[in-house]
């Protein structure tokens, strides 16, 4: 314990999380290790919740952002509900203590087994993505003698303005149904005895930093909701998805949750419907870092350095997958001339670069370095490529810390090989 600071930063010269020196954690767990701040998770969840306080709202935490059980349980403790994107995430939600009525289920390509489980559980909503899927849900519900609660995912043809790989709301993507087709589909669904149409769903992408695309998407589903209500199709909610971005780069401006709520709530109010949100990144992204050790230093031909660390694309895929930026800092900065460096992992891919052309204090082999804002789409996207065991995960809470997911061993990793 080195101080009382909330979140991450240098506290009396040492990088710490909620007052706990991350070097202390790394000494015990080894590296790479994911370190999460409980205080920051709570603070961010509560800020988002507060900003929608003036209207009936439900925050369904997007489990895909960070599916570690302790994090999902924490969300439940804060009053969140759950957004699952696969059968596996439904089971995570249940094990974290959520009831089926707390869970919405989205996803392109839900399998027959996943749909059967979702229908049998009577989830809060299955967000259908195609006419074929609606037929399968209706048949499963009829066979089970239940009315499945369903919504339709609308593709509003809105450019999210984020990276193309995480933009999901324009017409050329695989997600959802166009407004016209979705409307026809709902009218048909409303006539089927085994289906109960409860809402409309839209999610146009992730890491969206301006409110305009999110508002345009909300307007599209709100307009359709009003038409359907006028026709006598009684919806319960509008699910406007997740997607709120965070500031990964110094000086990057992103819409605040207050401004987002102020922009989107007038649109929702006109429908009279409760709003469902599926936030992931905004809550947990800034609440995690990866602590990693420098394992080698190498000169580049142009005079810069390669700082080789023991975390790589198998621990944090975002830079390799999207060219994403993550801040990188020394845990205990040395004094002296700063260096320019590419911070790279040990994986046998040139894309295994965590940060390019960064200014760092001088570093030596054995030094600890942190990669920031890795709480979302970090550990969940880990792989065993190059037969690298997945890293340990730790939560810091009230000046103490605990391992919430232990580091994989070689035996763990090979246990399914026959
Ligand atoms: C359907 C759906 N809902 C919610 C989310 C969470 O998005 P974010 O983490 O950007 O809030 C995603 C992720 O892209 C998603 O696909």
């Amino acid at each position: 314990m080195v101080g009382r600071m909330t979140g991450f930063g240098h506290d009396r010269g040492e990088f710490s999380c909620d007052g706990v020196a991350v070097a202390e954690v790394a000494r015990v767990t080894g590296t790479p290790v994911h370190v999460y701040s409980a205080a920051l998770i709570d603070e961010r969840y509560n800020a988002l919740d507060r900003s929608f306080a003036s209207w009936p709202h439900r925050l369904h935490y997007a489990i895909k952002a960070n599916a570690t059980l302790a994090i999902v349980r924490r969300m439940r403790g804060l009053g969140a509900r759950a957004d699952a994107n696969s059968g596996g995430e439904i089971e995570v939600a249940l094990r974290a203590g959520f009831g089926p009525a707390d869970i919405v289920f989205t996803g392109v390509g839900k399998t027959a087994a996943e749909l059967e489980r979702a229908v049998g559980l009577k989830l809060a909503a299955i967000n259908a993505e195609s006419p074929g899927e609606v037929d399968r849900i209706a048949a499963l519900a009829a066979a089970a003698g239940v009315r499945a609660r369903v919504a339709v995912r609308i593709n509003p043809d809105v450019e999210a303005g984020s990276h193309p790989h995480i933009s999901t709301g324009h017409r050329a993507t695989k997600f959802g149904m166009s407004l016209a087709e979705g409307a026809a589909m709902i009218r048909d669904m409303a006539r089927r005895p085994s289906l109960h149409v409860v809402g409309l769903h839209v999610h146009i992408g992730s890491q969206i930093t301006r409110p305009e695309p999110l508002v345009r998407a909300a307007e599209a589903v709100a307009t359709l909701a009003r038409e359907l209500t006028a026709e006598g199709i009684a919806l319960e909610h509008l699910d406007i998805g997740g997607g709120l971005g965070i500031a990964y780069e110094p000086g990057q401006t992103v819409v605040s949750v207050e401004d987002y709520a102020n922009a989107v709530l007038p649109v929702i109010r006109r429908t009279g419907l409760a709003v469902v949100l599926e936030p992931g990144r905004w809550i947990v992204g800034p609440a995690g870092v990866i602590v990693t050790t420098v394992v080698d230093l190498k000169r580049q031909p142009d005079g810069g350095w390669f700082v080789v660390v023991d975390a790589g694309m198998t621990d944090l895929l975002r830079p390799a997958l999207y060219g994403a930026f993550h801040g990188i800092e020394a845990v205990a900065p040395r004094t002296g001339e700063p260096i320019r460096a590419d911070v790279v992992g040990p994986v046998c891919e040139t894309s295994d670069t965590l940060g390019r052309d960064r200014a760092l204090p001088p570093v030596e082999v054995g030094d600890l370095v942190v990669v920031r804002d890795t709480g979302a789409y970090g550990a969940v996207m880990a792989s065993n490529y190059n037969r690298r065991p997945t890293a340990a995960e730790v939560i810091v809470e009230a000046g103490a810390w605990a391992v919430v997911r232990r580091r994989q061993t070689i035996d763990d990793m090979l246990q399914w090989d026959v």
Side-chain angles (χ1 to χ4, degrees), residues 60-65 83-85 105-107 127 129 153 166 168 175 201-208 239-245 277-284 376-377:
H60 285 251
Y61 168 63
I63 292 174
K64 65 168 68 67
D83 162 37
N85 205 66
F105 180 28
T106 312
N127 294 328
E129 300 249 4
R153 180 169 184 175
I166 49 172
T168 57
F175 299 96
H201 175 240
V202 70
H203 171 80
I204 60 164
S206 197
Q207 185 52 17
I208 300 167
D239 180 342
I240 57 171
L244 271 183
L277 298 155
E278 300 171 350
R281 185 191 310 273
W282 194 87
I283 299 173
V284 292
Y377 309 104

Side-chain angles (χ1 to χ4, degrees), residues 62-267:
I63 292 174
K64 65 168 68 67
N66 188 317
T68 300
L69 261 183
I71 302 273
V72 183
R73 280 202 194 105
R74 185 155 205 103
M75 290 299 161
R76 183 173 153 266
L78 288 166
R81 299 173 197 217
D83 162 37
N85 205 66
S86 67
E89 287 187 357
I90 291 173
E91 301 309 324
V92 168
L94 295 173
R95 286 186 200 195
F98 287 104
D102 299 324
I103 303 170
V104 295
F105 180 28
T106 312
V108 170
K110 303 178 195 77
T111 65
E114 286 173 323
L115 286 176
E116 189 173 3
R117 176 82 170 134
V119 167
L121 282 167
K122 303 191 197 145
L123 298 185
I126 304 173
N127 294 328
E129 300 249 4
S130 76
E133 188 170 271
V134 169
D135 289 343
R136 289 188 283 279
I137 297 169
L140 285 163
V146 297
R147 273 184 95 202
R149 293 171 58 84
V150 282
V152 170
R153 180 169 184 175
I154 297 292
N155 182 323
D157 195 18
V158 169
E159 294 282 354
S162 65
H163 191 282
H165 294 183
I166 49 172
S167 295
T168 57
H170 63 91
R171 55 196 287 200
T173 65
K174 64 181 176 180
F175 299 96
M177 302 285 298
S178 72
L179 269 169
E181 287 170 320
M185 202 161 99
I186 292 169
R187 290 180 180 114
D188 165 60
M189 288 158 76
R191 287 191 287 269
R192 300 202 196 191
S194 64
L195 300 181
H196 178 190
V197 181
V198 294
L200 295 176
H201 175 240
V202 70
H203 171 80
I204 60 164
S206 197
Q207 185 52 17
I208 300 167
T209 53
R210 293 180 307 114
E212 292 81 9
L214 294 162
V215 172
R216 290 226 314 278
E219 272 165 353
V221 284
T223 305
L224 176 56
R226 289 165 71 187
E227 278 172 37
L228 295 170
T229 308
E231 292 169 26
I233 298 174
L235 304 176
E236 295 175 12
H237 69 249
L238 274 188
D239 180 342
I240 57 171
L244 271 183
I246 59 172
Y248 284 102
E249 303 197 33
Q252 186 178 6
T253 53
V254 297
V255 60
S256 69
V257 282
E258 293 79 16
D259 288 348
Y260 170 55
N262 288 338
V264 91
L265 276 178
V267 176

Side-chain angles (χ1 to χ4, degrees), residues 305 334-341 358-363:
W305 289 90
R334 295 174 185 276
T335 50
E337 251 328 89
I339 58 165
R340 292 219 68 90
R358 301 297 177 86
L360 289 175
V363 288

